[in-house]
Amino acid sequence: MENITVNYLHRAELWLCITIVIYFFINGAQIFETLVFVPKWSASPPQSLNILSDGQGMSLKMFWIIFHSIHEVVFILAIIFCWKIDPVRNWLVILFFIHFIVRVWTLMYFAPNIIDFQKMADQSSFADHIADRISKWQFLNYIRVAIFMVVSLGLIPLCIKLFSIRN
């Protein structure tokens, strides 16, 4: 490790802790959504899909856009401020890469499907395969949330390592 000042270490600790707090907040929201909200809108489509309709039901789109954007910026700041601390930096980059892959998966699979499910709420006809599609989405969502939780838990040993460097 290069010259690491106490000030540098404090900033690294601060940004990593903020990243962890925001990640756990997001995880709490994801767990709530997965265990409470998703079963409600997936219960008996197409009628239950009305919950997803923007303007009529509960749209979480803005919440997720805002908090994921903030979190990504803070996560990147944690990497920047931990850059001189090799073992922490390397694991942060690995965890961010995993996080990034799951975010891409979210944007390519989960978000477009939710948009489709929202549109189906307004349709009078309903294709039989939609229930299977919703079930698949729900199952894959469990995997996605679990991966996000593992990534956030992986940040904790890094935080402990940072605090132990000072001692």
Coordinates of all heavy atoms in Angstrom, one line a residue, residues 64-153:
W64 N -36.9 3.3 -7.5 CA -35.7 2.5 -7.9 C -34.7 3.3 -8.7 O -33.5 3.1 -8.6 CB -36.2 1.2 -8.6 CG -36.8 0.2 -7.7 CD1 -38.1 -0.2 -7.7 CD2 -36.2 -0.4 -6.5 NE1 -38.3 -1.1 -6.7 CE2 -37.2 -1.2 -5.9 CE3 -35.0 -0.3 -5.9 CZ2 -36.9 -1.9 -4.8 CZ3 -34.7 -1.0 -4.8 CH2 -35.7 -1.8 -4.2
I65 N -35.2 4.1 -9.6 CA -34.3 4.9 -10.4 C -33.4 5.8 -9.6 O -32.2 5.9 -9.7 CB -35.1 5.7 -11.5 CG1 -35.6 4.8 -12.6 CG2 -34.2 6.8 -12.1 CD1 -36.6 5.4 -13.5
I66 N -34.1 6.5 -8.6 CA -33.4 7.4 -7.8 C -32.4 6.7 -6.9 O -31.2 7.1 -6.8 CB -34.4 8.3 -6.9 CG1 -35.1 9.2 -7.8 CG2 -33.6 9.0 -5.8 CD1 -36.3 9.9 -7.2
F67 N -32.8 5.7 -6.2 CA -32.0 5.1 -5.2 C -30.8 4.2 -5.8 O -29.7 4.2 -5.3 CB -32.7 4.2 -4.2 CG -33.3 5.1 -3.1 CD1 -34.6 5.6 -3.1 CD2 -32.5 5.5 -2.0 CE1 -35.0 6.5 -2.1 CE2 -32.9 6.4 -1.0 CZ -34.2 6.8 -1.1
H68 N -31.1 3.6 -7.0 CA -30.1 2.9 -7.6 C -29.0 3.8 -8.2 O -27.8 3.6 -8.2 CB -30.6 1.9 -8.7 CG -31.0 0.6 -8.2 ND1 -30.2 -0.3 -7.6 CD2 -32.3 0.0 -8.2 CE1 -30.9 -1.3 -7.2 NE2 -32.1 -1.2 -7.6
S69 N -29.5 5.0 -8.7 CA -28.5 5.9 -9.2 C -27.6 6.5 -8.1 O -26.4 6.6 -8.3 CB -29.3 7.1 -9.9 OG -30.1 6.6 -11.0
I70 N -28.2 6.9 -7.0 CA -27.4 7.3 -5.9 C -26.5 6.2 -5.4 O -25.3 6.5 -5.2 CB -28.4 7.7 -4.7 CG1 -29.1 9.0 -5.1 CG2 -27.6 7.9 -3.4 CD1 -30.3 9.3 -4.1
H71 N -27.0 5.0 -5.3 CA -26.1 3.9 -4.9 C -24.9 3.7 -5.8 O -23.8 3.5 -5.3 CB -26.9 2.7 -4.7 CG -26.1 1.5 -4.2 ND1 -25.7 0.5 -5.0 CD2 -25.5 1.4 -3.0 CE1 -24.9 -0.3 -4.2 NE2 -24.8 0.2 -3.0
E72 N -25.2 3.7 -7.1 CA -24.1 3.4 -8.0 C -23.0 4.5 -7.9 O -21.8 4.2 -7.9 CB -24.6 3.4 -9.5 CG -24.7 2.0 -10.0 CD -26.1 1.4 -9.8 OE1 -27.0 1.9 -10.4 OE2 -26.2 0.4 -9.1
V73 N -23.4 5.8 -7.8 CA -22.4 6.9 -7.6 C -21.6 6.7 -6.3 O -20.4 6.8 -6.3 CB -23.1 8.2 -7.6 CG1 -22.2 9.4 -7.2 CG2 -23.7 8.5 -9.0
V74 N -22.3 6.4 -5.2 CA -21.7 6.2 -3.9 C -20.7 5.0 -4.0 O -19.6 5.0 -3.4 CB -22.7 6.1 -2.8 CG1 -22.1 5.7 -1.5 CG2 -23.5 7.4 -2.6
F75 N -21.2 3.9 -4.6 CA -20.3 2.7 -4.7 C -19.0 3.1 -5.5 O -17.9 2.7 -5.1 CB -21.1 1.6 -5.4 CG -20.6 0.2 -5.2 CD1 -21.6 -0.8 -5.1 CD2 -19.3 -0.1 -5.0 CE1 -21.2 -2.1 -4.8 CE2 -18.9 -1.5 -4.8 CZ -19.8 -2.5 -4.7
I76 N -19.2 3.8 -6.6 CA -18.0 4.2 -7.3 C -17.1 5.1 -6.5 O -15.8 5.0 -6.5 CB -18.4 4.9 -8.7 CG1 -19.0 3.8 -9.6 CG2 -17.2 5.6 -9.3 CD1 -19.7 4.3 -10.8
L77 N -17.7 6.0 -5.7 CA -16.9 6.9 -4.8 C -16.1 6.0 -3.8 O -15.0 6.3 -3.5 CB -17.8 7.9 -4.2 CG -18.2 9.1 -5.1 CD1 -19.3 9.9 -4.4 CD2 -17.0 9.9 -5.5
A78 N -16.8 5.0 -3.3 CA -16.1 4.1 -2.3 C -14.9 3.5 -3.0 O -13.8 3.4 -2.4 CB -17.0 3.0 -1.8
I79 N -15.0 3.0 -4.2 CA -13.9 2.4 -5.0 C -12.8 3.5 -5.1 O -11.6 3.2 -4.9 CB -14.3 1.9 -6.3 CG1 -15.3 0.7 -6.1 CG2 -13.1 1.5 -7.2 CD1 -15.9 0.2 -7.4
I80 N -13.1 4.7 -5.5 CA -12.2 5.8 -5.7 C -11.4 6.0 -4.4 O -10.2 6.1 -4.4 CB -12.8 7.0 -6.3 CG1 -13.3 6.8 -7.7 CG2 -11.9 8.2 -6.2 CD1 -14.2 7.8 -8.3
F81 N -12.1 6.2 -3.4 CA -11.5 6.5 -2.1 C -10.8 5.4 -1.4 O -10.0 5.6 -0.5 CB -12.5 7.2 -1.1 CG -12.8 8.6 -1.5 CD1 -14.0 8.9 -2.1 CD2 -11.9 9.6 -1.3 CE1 -14.3 10.2 -2.5 CE2 -12.2 10.9 -1.6 CZ -13.4 11.2 -2.2
C82 N -11.0 4.2 -1.9 CA -10.3 3.0 -1.4 C -9.2 2.5 -2.3 O -8.6 1.5 -2.1 CB -11.3 1.9 -1.1 SG -12.4 2.2 0.3
W83 N -9.0 3.3 -3.4 CA -8.1 2.8 -4.4 C -6.7 2.5 -4.0 O -6.1 1.5 -4.5 CB -8.0 3.9 -5.6 CG -7.5 3.3 -6.8 CD1 -6.2 3.5 -7.3 CD2 -8.1 2.4 -7.7 NE1 -6.1 2.7 -8.5 CE2 -7.3 2.0 -8.7 CE3 -9.4 1.7 -7.7 CZ2 -7.6 1.2 -9.8 CZ3 -9.7 0.9 -8.7 CH2 -8.8 0.6 -9.7
K84 N -6.1 3.2 -3.0 CA -4.8 3.0 -2.6 C -4.6 1.8 -1.7 O -3.5 1.4 -1.3 CB -4.2 4.2 -1.9 CG -4.0 5.4 -2.8 CD -3.4 6.5 -2.0 CE -3.3 7.8 -2.8 NZ -2.8 8.9 -2.0
I85 N -5.7 1.2 -1.2 CA -5.7 0.1 -0.3 C -6.0 -1.2 -1.1 O -7.2 -1.6 -1.3 CB -6.8 0.4 0.8 CG1 -6.5 1.8 1.4 CG2 -6.7 -0.7 1.9 CD1 -7.7 2.3 2.3
D86 N -4.9 -1.8 -1.5 CA -5.0 -2.9 -2.5 C -6.1 -4.0 -2.2 O -6.9 -4.3 -3.0 CB -3.7 -3.6 -2.7 CG -2.7 -2.6 -3.3 OD1 -3.1 -1.6 -3.9 OD2 -1.5 -2.9 -3.2
P87 N -6.0 -4.6 -1.0 CA -7.0 -5.7 -0.8 C -8.4 -5.3 -0.8 O -9.3 -5.9 -1.3 CB -6.6 -6.3 0.5 CG -5.6 -5.4 1.2 CD -5.1 -4.5 0.1
V88 N -8.7 -4.1 -0.2 CA -10.0 -3.5 -0.2 C -10.4 -3.1 -1.6 O -11.5 -3.5 -2.1 CB -10.1 -2.3 0.8 CG1 -11.5 -1.7 0.7 CG2 -9.8 -2.8 2.2
R89 N -9.6 -2.4 -2.3 CA -9.9 -2.0 -3.7 C -10.2 -3.2 -4.6 O -11.2 -3.2 -5.3 CB -8.7 -1.3 -4.3 CG -8.9 -0.9 -5.8 CD -7.7 -0.5 -6.5 NE -6.7 -1.6 -6.5 CZ -5.4 -1.5 -6.4 NH1 -4.9 -0.3 -6.2 NH2 -4.6 -2.5 -6.4
N90 N -9.4 -4.2 -4.5 CA -9.6 -5.4 -5.4 C -10.9 -6.1 -5.2 O -11.7 -6.4 -6.1 CB -8.4 -6.4 -5.2 CG -7.1 -5.8 -5.7 OD1 -7.0 -4.8 -6.4 ND2 -6.0 -6.4 -5.2
W91 N -11.3 -6.2 -3.9 CA -12.6 -6.9 -3.6 C -13.7 -5.9 -3.9 O -14.8 -6.4 -4.4 CB -12.6 -7.3 -2.1 CG -12.0 -8.7 -2.0 CD1 -10.8 -8.9 -1.4 CD2 -12.5 -9.9 -2.5 NE1 -10.5 -10.3 -1.5 CE2 -11.6 -10.9 -2.2 CE3 -13.7 -10.3 -3.1 CZ2 -11.8 -12.3 -2.5 CZ3 -13.9 -11.6 -3.4 CH2 -12.9 -12.6 -3.1
L92 N -13.5 -4.6 -3.7 CA -14.6 -3.7 -4.1 C -14.9 -3.7 -5.6 O -16.0 -3.7 -6.0 CB -14.2 -2.3 -3.7 CG -14.6 -1.8 -2.3 CD1 -14.0 -0.4 -2.1 CD2 -16.1 -1.8 -2.1
V93 N -13.8 -3.8 -6.4 CA -14.0 -3.9 -7.8 C -14.7 -5.2 -8.2 O -15.6 -5.2 -9.1 CB -12.6 -3.8 -8.6 CG1 -12.7 -4.1 -10.0 CG2 -12.0 -2.4 -8.4
I94 N -14.3 -6.3 -7.6 CA -15.0 -7.6 -7.9 C -16.5 -7.5 -7.5 O -17.4 -7.9 -8.3 CB -14.3 -8.7 -7.2 CG1 -12.9 -9.0 -7.8 CG2 -15.2 -10.0 -7.2 CD1 -12.0 -9.9 -7.0
L95 N -16.8 -7.0 -6.3 CA -18.2 -6.9 -5.9 C -18.9 -5.9 -6.8 O -20.1 -6.1 -7.1 CB -18.2 -6.4 -4.4 CG -17.7 -7.5 -3.4 CD1 -17.7 -6.9 -2.0 CD2 -18.6 -8.7 -3.4
F96 N -18.3 -4.8 -7.2 CA -19.0 -3.9 -8.1 C -19.3 -4.5 -9.4 O -20.3 -4.3 -10.0 CB -18.2 -2.6 -8.3 CG -18.9 -1.6 -9.1 CD1 -19.9 -0.8 -8.5 CD2 -18.7 -1.4 -10.4 CE1 -20.6 0.1 -9.3 CE2 -19.4 -0.5 -11.2 CZ -20.4 0.3 -10.6
F97 N -18.3 -5.3 -9.9 CA -18.5 -6.0 -11.2 C -19.7 -6.9 -11.1 O -20.6 -6.9 -12.0 CB -17.3 -6.8 -11.6 CG -17.4 -7.5 -12.9 CD1 -17.4 -6.9 -14.1 CD2 -17.6 -8.9 -12.9 CE1 -17.6 -7.6 -15.3 CE2 -17.8 -9.6 -14.0 CZ -17.8 -8.9 -15.3
I98 N -19.8 -7.7 -10.0 CA -21.0 -8.6 -9.8 C -22.3 -7.7 -9.7 O -23.3 -8.1 -10.4 CB -20.8 -9.4 -8.6 CG1 -19.6 -10.4 -8.7 CG2 -22.1 -10.2 -8.2 CD1 -19.2 -11.1 -7.5
H99 N -22.2 -6.7 -9.0 CA -23.4 -5.8 -8.8 C -23.8 -5.2 -10.2 O -24.9 -5.2 -10.5 CB -23.0 -4.6 -7.9 CG -24.0 -3.5 -7.9 ND1 -25.1 -3.5 -7.1 CD2 -24.0 -2.3 -8.6 CE1 -25.8 -2.4 -7.3 NE2 -25.1 -1.7 -8.2
F100 N -22.8 -4.8 -11.0 CA -23.0 -4.2 -12.3 C -23.7 -5.2 -13.2 O -24.6 -4.9 -13.9 CB -21.7 -3.7 -12.9 CG -21.9 -3.1 -14.2 CD1 -22.4 -1.8 -14.4 CD2 -21.5 -3.8 -15.4 CE1 -22.6 -1.2 -15.6 CE2 -21.7 -3.2 -16.6 CZ -22.2 -1.9 -16.7
I101 N -23.2 -6.5 -13.2 CA -23.8 -7.5 -14.0 C -25.3 -7.7 -13.7 O -26.1 -7.9 -14.6 CB -23.0 -8.9 -13.9 CG1 -21.6 -8.7 -14.5 CG2 -23.7 -10.0 -14.6 CD1 -21.5 -8.3 -15.9
V102 N -25.6 -7.8 -12.4 CA -27.0 -8.0 -12.0 C -27.8 -6.7 -12.3 O -29.0 -6.9 -12.7 CB -27.0 -8.3 -10.5 CG1 -28.5 -8.4 -10.0 CG2 -26.3 -9.6 -10.2
R103 N -27.2 -5.5 -12.3 CA -28.0 -4.4 -12.7 C -28.3 -4.4 -14.2 O -29.4 -4.0 -14.6 CB -27.2 -3.1 -12.4 CG -27.1 -2.8 -10.9 CD -28.4 -2.3 -10.3 NE -28.7 -1.0 -10.8 CZ -29.9 -0.6 -11.3 NH1 -30.8 -1.5 -11.4 NH2 -30.0 0.6 -11.8
V104 N -27.3 -4.8 -15.0 CA -27.5 -5.0 -16.4 C -28.7 -6.0 -16.6 O -29.6 -5.8 -17.5 CB -26.2 -5.4 -17.2 CG1 -26.5 -5.8 -18.6 CG2 -25.3 -4.2 -17.1
W105 N -28.6 -7.1 -15.9 CA -29.6 -8.2 -16.0 C -31.0 -7.5 -15.6 O -32.0 -7.8 -16.3 CB -29.3 -9.3 -15.1 CG -30.2 -10.5 -15.1 CD1 -30.9 -11.0 -16.1 CD2 -30.4 -11.4 -14.0 NE1 -31.6 -12.1 -15.7 CE2 -31.3 -12.4 -14.4 CE3 -30.0 -11.4 -12.7 CZ2 -31.8 -13.4 -13.6 CZ3 -30.4 -12.5 -11.8 CH2 -31.3 -13.4 -12.3
T106 N -31.0 -6.7 -14.6 CA -32.2 -6.0 -14.2 C -32.8 -5.2 -15.3 O -34.0 -5.2 -15.6 CB -32.0 -5.2 -13.0 OG1 -31.6 -6.0 -11.9 CG2 -33.2 -4.4 -12.6
L107 N -31.9 -4.4 -15.9 CA -32.3 -3.5 -17.0 C -32.7 -4.2 -18.3 O -33.6 -3.7 -19.0 CB -31.2 -2.4 -17.3 CG -31.0 -1.5 -16.1 CD1 -29.7 -0.6 -16.4 CD2 -32.2 -0.6 -15.8
M108 N -32.1 -5.4 -18.5 CA -32.4 -6.1 -19.8 C -33.6 -7.1 -19.6 O -34.2 -7.4 -20.6 CB -31.2 -6.8 -20.3 CG -30.1 -5.8 -20.7 SD -28.7 -6.6 -21.4 CE -29.3 -7.2 -22.9
Y109 N -33.8 -7.6 -18.4 CA -34.8 -8.6 -18.2 C -36.0 -8.1 -17.3 O -37.1 -8.1 -17.7 CB -34.3 -9.9 -17.7 CG -35.3 -10.9 -17.4 CD1 -35.9 -11.7 -18.4 CD2 -35.8 -11.1 -16.1 CE1 -36.9 -12.6 -18.1 CE2 -36.8 -12.1 -15.8 CZ -37.3 -12.8 -16.8 OH -38.3 -13.7 -16.6
F110 N -35.7 -7.8 -16.1 CA -36.7 -7.5 -15.1 C -37.5 -6.2 -15.5 O -38.7 -6.2 -15.4 CB -36.1 -7.4 -13.7 CG -35.6 -8.7 -13.2 CD1 -34.3 -9.0 -13.4 CD2 -36.5 -9.6 -12.6 CE1 -33.8 -10.2 -12.9 CE2 -36.0 -10.8 -12.2 CZ -34.7 -11.1 -12.3
A111 N -36.8 -5.1 -15.8 CA -37.5 -3.9 -16.1 C -38.4 -4.0 -17.3 O -39.6 -3.6 -17.2 CB -36.5 -2.7 -16.2
P112 N -38.0 -4.5 -18.5 CA -38.9 -4.7 -19.6 C -40.1 -5.6 -19.3 O -41.2 -5.3 -19.8 CB -38.0 -5.3 -20.7 CG -36.6 -5.0 -20.3 CD -36.6 -4.9 -18.8
N113 N -39.9 -6.6 -18.6 CA -41.0 -7.5 -18.3 C -42.0 -6.8 -17.4 O -43.2 -7.0 -17.6 CB -40.5 -8.8 -17.6 CG -40.1 -9.8 -18.7 OD1 -40.9 -10.3 -19.4 ND2 -38.8 -10.0 -18.8
I114 N -41.5 -6.0 -16.4 CA -42.5 -5.3 -15.5 C -43.3 -4.3 -16.4 O -44.5 -4.2 -16.2 CB -41.7 -4.5 -14.4 CG1 -41.4 -5.5 -13.3 CG2 -42.5 -3.4 -13.8 CD1 -42.6 -6.0 -12.4
I115 N -42.6 -3.7 -17.3 CA -43.3 -2.7 -18.2 C -44.4 -3.5 -19.0 O -45.5 -3.0 -19.2 CB -42.3 -2.0 -19.1 CG1 -41.5 -1.0 -18.3 CG2 -43.0 -1.3 -20.2 CD1 -40.3 -0.5 -19.0
D116 N -44.0 -4.7 -19.5 CA -45.0 -5.5 -20.2 C -46.2 -5.9 -19.3 O -47.3 -5.8 -19.7 CB -44.4 -6.8 -20.8 CG -43.5 -6.5 -22.0 OD1 -43.6 -5.4 -22.6 OD2 -42.8 -7.4 -22.4
F117 N -45.9 -6.3 -18.1 CA -46.9 -6.7 -17.1 C -47.8 -5.5 -16.9 O -49.1 -5.7 -16.7 CB -46.3 -7.2 -15.8 CG -45.5 -8.4 -16.0 CD1 -44.5 -8.7 -15.1 CD2 -45.7 -9.3 -17.1 CE1 -43.7 -9.9 -15.2 CE2 -44.9 -10.5 -17.2 CZ -43.9 -10.7 -16.3
Q118 N -47.3 -4.3 -16.8 CA -48.1 -3.1 -16.5 C -49.0 -2.9 -17.7 O -50.2 -2.5 -17.5 CB -47.2 -1.8 -16.4 CG -46.5 -1.8 -15.1 CD -45.5 -0.6 -15.0 OE1 -44.9 -0.2 -16.0 NE2 -45.2 -0.1 -13.8
K119 N -48.5 -3.1 -18.9 CA -49.4 -2.9 -20.1 C -50.5 -3.9 -20.2 O -51.6 -3.6 -20.6 CB -48.5 -3.0 -21.4 CG -47.6 -1.8 -21.6 CD -46.7 -2.0 -22.8 CE -45.7 -0.9 -22.9 NZ -44.7 -1.2 -23.9
M120 N -50.2 -5.1 -19.7 CA -51.2 -6.2 -19.7 C -52.4 -5.9 -18.8 O -53.5 -6.4 -19.0 CB -50.6 -7.5 -19.3 CG -49.7 -8.1 -20.3 SD -49.0 -9.6 -19.7 CE -47.5 -9.6 -20.6
A121 N -52.2 -5.1 -17.8 CA -53.2 -4.7 -16.8 C -54.4 -4.0 -17.5 O -55.5 -4.1 -17.1 CB -52.7 -3.9 -15.7
D122 N -54.0 -3.3 -18.6 CA -55.0 -2.5 -19.3 C -55.7 -3.2 -20.5 O -56.5 -2.7 -21.1 CB -54.4 -1.2 -19.9 CG -53.8 -0.3 -18.7 OD1 -54.4 -0.3 -17.7 OD2 -52.8 0.3 -19.0
Q123 N -55.2 -4.5 -20.7 CA -55.7 -5.2 -21.9 C -56.9 -6.1 -21.4 O -56.9 -6.6 -20.3 CB -54.6 -6.1 -22.5 CG -53.5 -5.3 -23.1 CD -52.4 -6.2 -23.6 OE1 -52.4 -7.4 -23.4 NE2 -51.4 -5.6 -24.2
S124 N -57.8 -6.3 -22.3 CA -59.0 -7.2 -21.9 C -58.6 -8.6 -22.2 O -59.1 -9.5 -21.5 CB -60.2 -6.8 -22.7 OG -59.9 -6.8 -24.1
S125 N -57.8 -8.9 -23.2 CA -57.4 -10.3 -23.5 C -56.1 -10.6 -22.7 O -55.3 -9.7 -22.5 CB -57.2 -10.5 -25.0 OG -56.2 -9.7 -25.5
F126 N -55.9 -11.9 -22.4 CA -54.8 -12.3 -21.6 C -54.3 -13.6 -22.2 O -55.0 -14.6 -22.2 CB -55.3 -12.4 -20.2 CG -54.2 -12.7 -19.2 CD1 -53.2 -11.8 -18.9 CD2 -54.1 -14.0 -18.6 CE1 -52.2 -12.1 -18.0 CE2 -53.1 -14.3 -17.7 CZ -52.2 -13.3 -17.4
A127 N -53.0 -13.6 -22.5 CA -52.5 -14.9 -23.1 C -52.2 -15.9 -22.0 O -51.8 -15.5 -20.8 CB -51.2 -14.5 -23.8
D128 N -52.4 -17.1 -22.3 CA -52.2 -18.2 -21.3 C -50.7 -18.3 -20.8 O -50.5 -18.6 -19.6 CB -52.6 -19.5 -21.8 CG -54.1 -19.6 -22.1 OD1 -54.8 -18.9 -21.4 OD2 -54.5 -20.4 -23.0
H129 N -49.8 -18.0 -21.6 CA -48.4 -18.1 -21.2 C -47.9 -17.1 -20.3 O -46.8 -17.2 -19.7 CB -47.5 -18.2 -22.5 CG -47.3 -16.8 -23.1 ND1 -48.3 -16.3 -23.9 CD2 -46.3 -16.0 -23.1 CE1 -47.9 -15.1 -24.3 NE2 -46.7 -14.9 -23.8
I130 N -48.7 -16.0 -20.0 CA -48.3 -14.9 -19.2 C -48.1 -15.4 -17.7 O -47.2 -14.9 -17.1 CB -49.3 -13.8 -19.3 CG1 -49.4 -13.2 -20.7 CG2 -48.9 -12.7 -18.3 CD1 -48.0 -12.8 -21.3
A131 N -48.9 -16.3 -17.3 CA -48.8 -16.8 -15.9 C -47.4 -17.5 -15.7 O -46.8 -17.3 -14.7 CB -49.9 -17.7 -15.6
D132 N -47.0 -18.2 -16.7 CA -45.7 -18.8 -16.7 C -44.6 -17.8 -16.7 O -43.6 -17.9 -16.0 CB -45.5 -19.8 -17.9 CG -46.4 -21.0 -17.8 OD1 -46.8 -21.4 -16.6 OD2 -46.7 -21.6 -18.8
R133 N -44.8 -16.8 -17.5 CA -43.8 -15.7 -17.6 C -43.6 -15.0 -16.3 O -42.5 -14.7 -15.8 CB -44.2 -14.8 -18.7 CG -43.1 -14.0 -19.3 CD -43.5 -13.3 -20.6 NE -43.1 -11.9 -20.5 CZ -43.6 -10.9 -21.1 NH1 -44.6 -11.1 -21.9 NH2 -43.1 -9.7 -20.9
I134 N -44.8 -14.7 -15.6 CA -44.8 -14.0 -14.3 C -44.1 -14.9 -13.3 O -43.3 -14.5 -12.5 CB -46.2 -13.6 -13.9 CG1 -46.7 -12.5 -14.8 CG2 -46.2 -13.3 -12.4 CD1 -48.2 -12.2 -14.6
S135 N -44.4 -16.2 -13.3 CA -43.8 -17.2 -12.4 C -42.3 -17.2 -12.6 O -41.5 -17.2 -11.6 CB -44.4 -18.5 -12.6 OG -43.9 -19.5 -11.7
K136 N -41.8 -17.2 -13.8 CA -40.4 -17.2 -14.1 C -39.7 -16.0 -13.6 O -38.7 -16.0 -13.0 CB -40.1 -17.4 -15.6 CG -38.7 -17.4 -16.0 CD -38.5 -17.5 -17.5 CE -37.1 -17.3 -17.9 NZ -36.9 -17.3 -19.3
W137 N -40.4 -14.8 -13.8 CA -39.9 -13.5 -13.4 C -39.7 -13.5 -11.9 O -38.7 -13.1 -11.3 CB -40.8 -12.4 -13.8 CG -40.3 -11.0 -13.5 CD1 -39.7 -10.2 -14.4 CD2 -40.4 -10.3 -12.3 NE1 -39.4 -9.0 -13.8 CE2 -39.8 -9.1 -12.5 CE3 -40.9 -10.6 -11.0 CZ2 -39.7 -8.1 -11.5 CZ3 -40.8 -9.7 -10.0 CH2 -40.2 -8.4 -10.3
Q138 N -40.8 -14.1 -11.2 CA -40.8 -14.1 -9.7 C -39.6 -15.0 -9.2 O -38.9 -14.6 -8.3 CB -42.1 -14.7 -9.3 CG -42.5 -14.3 -7.8 CD -43.9 -14.7 -7.5 OE1 -44.6 -15.3 -8.3 NE2 -44.4 -14.3 -6.4
F139 N -39.4 -16.2 -9.8 CA -38.3 -17.0 -9.4 C -37.0 -16.4 -9.6 O -36.1 -16.4 -8.7 CB -38.4 -18.4 -10.1 CG -37.3 -19.3 -9.9 CD1 -37.2 -20.0 -8.7 CD2 -36.3 -19.4 -10.8 CE1 -36.1 -20.8 -8.4 CE2 -35.2 -20.3 -10.6 CZ -35.1 -20.9 -9.3
L140 N -36.8 -15.8 -10.8 CA -35.5 -15.2 -11.1 C -35.2 -14.0 -10.2 O -34.1 -13.6 -9.8 CB -35.4 -14.8 -12.5 CG -35.3 -16.0 -13.5 CD1 -35.4 -15.5 -15.0 CD2 -34.1 -16.8 -13.3
N141 N -36.3 -13.3 -9.8 CA -36.2 -12.2 -8.9 C -35.6 -12.6 -7.5 O -34.9 -11.9 -6.9 CB -37.5 -11.5 -8.7 CG -37.4 -10.2 -7.9 OD1 -36.6 -9.4 -8.2 ND2 -38.2 -10.2 -6.8
Y142 N -36.0 -13.8 -7.0 CA -35.4 -14.4 -5.8 C -33.9 -14.5 -5.9 O -33.2 -14.1 -5.0 CB -36.0 -15.7 -5.4 CG -37.5 -15.7 -5.0 CD1 -38.4 -16.6 -5.5 CD2 -38.0 -14.8 -4.1 CE1 -39.7 -16.6 -5.2 CE2 -39.3 -14.8 -3.7 CZ -40.2 -15.7 -4.2 OH -41.5 -15.7 -3.8
I143 N -33.5 -15.0 -7.0 CA -32.0 -15.1 -7.3 C -31.4 -13.8 -7.3 O -30.3 -13.6 -6.7 CB -31.8 -15.9 -8.6 CG1 -32.3 -17.4 -8.4 CG2 -30.3 -15.9 -9.0 CD1 -32.4 -18.2 -9.7
R144 N -32.0 -12.8 -8.0 CA -31.4 -11.5 -8.2 C -31.3 -10.8 -6.8 O -30.2 -10.3 -6.5 CB -32.3 -10.7 -9.1 CG -31.8 -9.2 -9.2 CD -32.7 -8.5 -10.2 NE -34.1 -8.3 -9.7 CZ -34.8 -7.2 -9.7 NH1 -34.3 -6.2 -10.3 NH2 -36.0 -7.2 -9.3
V145 N -32.3 -10.9 -6.0 CA -32.3 -10.3 -4.7 C -31.2 -10.9 -3.8 O -30.5 -10.3 -3.1 CB -33.7 -10.3 -4.0 CG1 -33.6 -9.9 -2.5 CG2 -34.6 -9.4 -4.8
A146 N -31.1 -12.3 -3.9 CA -30.1 -13.0 -3.1 C -28.7 -12.6 -3.5 O -27.8 -12.4 -2.7 CB -30.3 -14.5 -3.3
I147 N -28.5 -12.4 -4.8 CA -27.1 -11.9 -5.3 C -26.8 -10.5 -4.7 O -25.7 -10.3 -4.2 CB -27.0 -12.0 -6.8 CG1 -27.1 -13.4 -7.3 CG2 -25.7 -11.3 -7.3 CD1 -27.3 -13.5 -8.8
F148 N -27.8 -9.6 -4.8 CA -27.6 -8.3 -4.3 C -27.3 -8.4 -2.7 O -26.4 -7.6 -2.2 CB -28.8 -7.4 -4.5 CG -28.8 -6.8 -5.9 CD1 -30.0 -6.7 -6.6 CD2 -27.7 -6.2 -6.4 CE1 -30.1 -6.1 -7.8 CE2 -27.8 -5.6 -7.7 CZ -29.0 -5.6 -8.4
M149 N -27.9 -9.2 -2.0 CA -27.7 -9.4 -0.6 C -26.3 -9.9 -0.3 O -25.6 -9.4 0.6 CB -28.8 -10.3 0.0 CG -30.1 -9.6 0.1 SD -31.4 -10.7 0.7 CE -30.8 -11.1 2.4
V150 N -25.9 -10.9 -1.1 CA -24.5 -11.4 -0.9 C -23.5 -10.4 -1.2 O -22.5 -10.2 -0.5 CB -24.3 -12.7 -1.9 CG1 -22.9 -13.1 -1.9 CG2 -25.2 -13.8 -1.4
V151 N -23.7 -9.6 -2.3 CA -22.7 -8.5 -2.6 C -22.6 -7.5 -1.4 O -21.6 -7.1 -0.9 CB -23.1 -7.8 -3.9 CG1 -22.3 -6.5 -4.0 CG2 -22.9 -8.7 -5.1
S152 N -23.8 -7.1 -0.9 CA -23.8 -6.1 0.2 C -23.1 -6.8 1.5 O -22.4 -6.1 2.2 CB -25.2 -5.6 0.5 OG -26.0 -6.7 1.0
L153 N -23.4 -8.0 1.7 CA -22.7 -8.7 2.9 C -21.2 -8.8 2.7 O -20.4 -8.7 3.6 CB -23.3 -10.1 3.1 CG -24.8 -10.1 3.7 CD1 -25.3 -11.5 3.7 CD2 -24.9 -9.4 5.0

